[in-house]
Amino acid sequence: MVTTNLNILLLSNMYPSQSRPSYGVFVKNVHDEMKELHSGKLTLCAMEYSTNKLLSYLLFYIKVLYLLIFTKVDVVYCHFLSRTLIPGVIAKYIFRKKVIFNVHSSDYTIPKKKNGLGHRLNLWAIKFCDGLIIPSESFKSIILADTKPSFAEQFFVSPSGGVKLPEQVNYDANVTSPLRCLFVSRVTKTKGIDTIFEALNKVDFDVELTVVGSIEEDIFSSLVNKRVSLRVIGEVKQTELPQYFEQAQLFLFPTKHHESLGLAPIEAMSFGLPVIGSNYASVPEYVKHGVNGYLMEKGNSDQLLNFLVQFSELNSDERQDLSTNAVSTALQYSRKKVVKDLLSYMESRSGNE
């Protein structure tokens, strides 16, 4: 238990539901761990997913207003900067509450790319807030480039709730056939599924690829190599993911997206899986080339193929070394440790320290 009596109101426009079990699941993970560790009051206000976004946001904002009026609140913890900006402003300037924003990725990068009113509002929010939580050092550098260096003291790097460590790691380092590879992410070219297929079309040994995640682009017909067997699982609840991590020997993450973090490969490493990931954005912060996996140039299917071949030729001891190092890396992202540090940061920014 973290010793703090802060009354925290957690706001998010994304949260898992029956129909979308992975939608904003990292927010749920943070909330659930905070409930376990936090000695003060924790209130959740999450927007329910709906195709009618205007109505959903209206109801969400009304609920926030109600809680600010009738609930004792010290700190308003807002996930997704651009989506919780309005309640953040109300909490700060009308109700005089401490406001901490948690930036993720597209809530900052999309307005930044458009360079319009949305981006200027985000920068204003960063200026007036009492704290800003950022998923990685890489993403922190992007925001710092748009702000004053003096703002850095209020920034805190916290990896999106971290990962729940398995009680036991049973990694299969044996050299067996087929090589069992795993991809867990949204199935889209931006996440590198096309790069994987391009590489696998050239392998001359047996590979089994399991794909887990919501299917946004159906390009499965482009995988034509007879030596590759494909299992398409689709989107699953996070509680169902461990079985796929336990079955695999190698995790593939050749993303072309500017990841603010990327929890899936870290979770894979907690199960002992070495990772082949893009040498891009935040990925090199946890994938160390030749130590717990391999780093490839984003979009370079020939490099991915080369590392697949390289891994397939490792003996069991060499695979086990990569696996052991992967587990060591994941320990640094333990959910319990991450959320404890997060609560300590909130206490320091609340003025109650």
Side-chain angles (χ1 to χ4, degrees):
M1 186 75 69
V2 175
T3 307
T4 170
N5 294 317
L6 286 179
N7 298 297
I8 301 172
L9 174 59
L10 192 160
L11 310 182
S12 177
N13 71 312
M14 289 177 67
Y15 207 76
S17 64
Q18 194 75 24
S19 60
R20 301 192 71 181
S22 60
Y23 186 69
V25 70
F26 42 85
V27 179
K28 182 181 186 303
N29 292 338
V30 170
H31 170 262
D32 291 351
E33 194 65 38
M34 286 178 78
K35 261 174 55 176
E36 292 290 321
L37 297 174
H38 182 46
S39 58
K41 184 177 180 181
L42 175 65
T43 304
L44 171 68
C45 182
M47 190 175 93
E48 295 183 10
Y49 176 77
S50 170
T51 52
N52 189 335
K53 287 192 174 182
L54 185 61
L55 179 61
S56 294
Y57 273 103
L58 179 62
L59 293 174
F60 174 54
Y61 292 159
I62 290 172
K63 187 177 178 182
V64 173
L65 190 61
Y66 174 86
L67 290 170
L68 285 170
I69 294 171
F70 296 105
T71 306
K72 183 171 173 55
V73 176
D74 300 310
V75 174
V76 182
Y77 175 31
C78 307
H79 277 268
F80 301 98
L81 174 61
S82 59
R83 303 295 187 265
T84 55
L85 176 60
I86 292 174
V89 170
I90 293 171
K92 178 74 176 179
Y93 290 107
I94 296 179
F95 292 90
R96 302 297 176 183
K97 307 299 182 185
K98 298 290 184 180
V99 174
I100 296 175
F101 287 108
N102 198 315
V103 185
H104 290 279
S105 179
S106 58
D107 57 328
Y108 187 83
T109 56
I110 291 177
K112 175 182 168 72
K113 189 177 289 186
K114 293 178 180 177
N115 197 27
L117 178 61
H119 185 51
R120 291 195 292 275
L121 286 173
N122 277 349
L123 293 176
W124 174 59
I126 290 170
K127 184 178 180 180
F128 78 67
C129 72
D130 298 285
L132 190 75
I133 296 165
I134 307 167
S136 65
E137 290 292 341
S138 167
F139 206 65
K140 178 182 175 180
S141 66
I142 290 175
I143 297 178
L144 273 178
D146 295 335
T147 57
K148 295 179 181 178
S150 58
F151 286 7
E153 65 182 39
Q154 74 187 50
F155 294 175
F156 181 68
V157 174
S158 181
S160 301
V163 297
K164 183 179 180 180
L165 301 175
E167 293 182 8
Q168 191 172 355
V169 177
N170 298 307
Y171 178 70
D172 181 10
N174 294 316
V175 181
T176 55
S177 182
L179 173 62
R180 303 189 301 277
C181 297
L182 177 64
F183 173 84
V184 177
S185 186
R186 293 181 292 110
V187 180
T188 170
K189 292 178 181 178
T190 307
K191 291 290 189 173
I193 191 69
D194 57 330
T195 308
I196 292 174
F197 288 173
E198 288 168 14
L200 290 180
N201 277 331
K202 301 171 189 174
V203 296
D204 59 0
F205 53 91
D206 294 334
V207 176
E208 178 187 84
L209 174 67
T210 300
V211 175
V212 181
S214 58
I215 301 169
E216 298 183 10
E217 293 180 65
D218 186 352
I219 61 168
F220 298 112
S221 59
S222 64
L223 183 60
V224 296
N225 190 340
K226 300 295 185 185
R227 303 205 66 167
V228 179
S229 59
L230 177 65
R231 287 201 307 160
V232 180
I233 306 300
E235 187 174 12
V236 301
K237 294 179 181 177
Q238 192 173 45
T239 53
E240 297 173 25
L241 284 176
Q243 61 181 306
Y244 301 107
F245 290 128
E246 289 172 346
Q247 293 165 7
Q249 295 172 303
L250 183 63
F251 191 83
L252 307 182
F253 194 62
T255 182
K256 290 175 273 188
H257 177 64
H258 196 291
E259 303 288 343
S260 60
L261 181 64
L263 277 175
I266 299 172
E267 190 166 5
M269 286 195 283
S270 75
F271 285 84
L273 295 183
V275 175
I276 301 179
S278 297
N279 189 13
Y280 180 56
S282 63
V283 180
E285 291 183 29
Y286 47 85
V287 177
K288 303 302 178 184
H289 189 75
V291 177
N292 57 19
Y294 305 94
L295 287 170
M296 52 168 281
E297 180 185 342
K298 67 169 181 171
N300 191 326
S301 61
D302 288 333
Q303 273 194 7
L304 176 54
L305 173 63
N306 178 52
F307 294 137
L308 283 167
V309 172
Q310 200 169 316
F311 183 82
S312 73
E313 293 174 347
L314 296 179
N315 61 40
S316 58
D317 288 340
E318 291 168 327
R319 291 185 181 193
Q320 187 59 57
D321 285 344
L322 288 174
S323 174
T324 300
N325 292 334
V327 172
S328 296
T329 299
L331 289 174
Q332 301 167 37
Y333 294 84
S334 159
R335 182 166 301 154
K336 195 171 292 293
K337 176 186 181 300
V338 166
V339 175
K340 274 185 179 179
D341 292 345
L342 178 62
L343 286 167
S344 296
Y345 168 74
M346 288 186 178
E347 180 78 16
S348 72
R349 300 306 298 177
S350 70
N352 291 348
E353 199 178 36

